[in-house]
Amino acid sequence: RTVNSVIVTDAVGAIEWVNAACERQTGLTLAEIRGFALGDFLQRTSESHAFQKPLWDAIRLGQVFHYES
């Protein structure tokens, strides 16, 4: 069990899976989030956009992205 949100996307940024912490923090279930465009989801649920360029770079390169706020 973790308090950190974990979001798994496909190569184009569509959400495939989120953990229970993400569901708790956003108030949305995996069923509601799955397939949602990550960029749209983050704009809707986050006030900080400083991490978005490194996030998209990691997705494009197929790398893991870590961010702590």
Side-chain angles (χ1 to χ4, degrees), residues 43-61:
Q43 286 183 323
R44 184 174 163 191
T45 61
S46 176
E47 295 177 16
S48 172
H49 299 286
F51 64 89
Q52 289 199 27
K53 182 181 179 340
L55 168 69
W56 286 109
D57 290 345
I59 290 172
R60 279 191 280 280
L61 296 171

Side-chain angles (χ1 to χ4, degrees), residues 2-3 7-10 13-15 19 21 23-24 28-29 33 36-37 42 44-45 48-51 56-57 61:
T2 181
V3 296
I7 302 171
V8 176
T9 70
D10 64 14
I15 296 172
N19 67 347
E23 290 180 322
R24 284 191 303 275
L28 300 168
T29 66
I33 297 170
F36 209 85
L42 292 175
R44 184 174 163 191
T45 61
S48 172
H49 299 286
F51 64 89
W56 286 109
D57 290 345
L61 296 171

Side-chain angles (χ1 to χ4, degrees), residues 10-28:
D10 64 14
V12 296
I15 296 172
E16 294 183 337
W17 180 84
V18 299
N19 67 347
C22 184
E23 290 180 322
R24 284 191 303 275
Q25 291 170 355
T26 64
L28 300 168

